[in-house]
Amino acid sequence: MLRGTRTLPHVGNHPGTYCLLWLIGFGVLAGAKSGGLAGALAGLAVMSFGVGPIYLWGAYDRARLSDALEEREVSSK
């Protein structure tokens, strides 16, 4: 799963990385505006646990796809 968050040879970069960072940043800013440091930490936690699993699920799928494409490439040689 963590391998899928990086650039992979057959599928490239994870397309959701910047979206994830933006959403977490918005959560931190919204939390900080309403609750200071404690609110910022709460916003970080809510966005990380809300959007993070979806991102990691996509990363897992990307890693599996890259492995399947690599296996197909090796078997065709």
Side-chain angles (χ1 to χ4, degrees):
M1 177 174 30
L2 293 177
R3 193 170 52 89
T5 62
R6 298 185 180 107
T7 301
L8 296 174
H10 295 87
V11 292
N13 294 327
H14 192 304
T17 300
Y18 293 112
C19 182
L20 174 73
L21 295 175
W22 276 101
L23 290 172
I24 289 175
F26 288 143
V28 168
L29 291 175
K33 185 175 180 181
S34 63
L37 180 60
L41 293 175
L44 173 70
V46 166
M47 293 307 285
S48 294
F49 289 115
V51 182
I54 298 167
Y55 175 79
L56 292 175
W57 184 4
Y60 175 74
D61 283 342
R62 292 179 73 252
R64 281 187 13 190
L65 176 61
S66 181
D67 291 344
L69 291 172
E70 183 174 349
E71 184 178 318
R72 182 183 302 166
E73 182 180 293
V74 169
S75 68
S76 68
K77 288 184 178 181

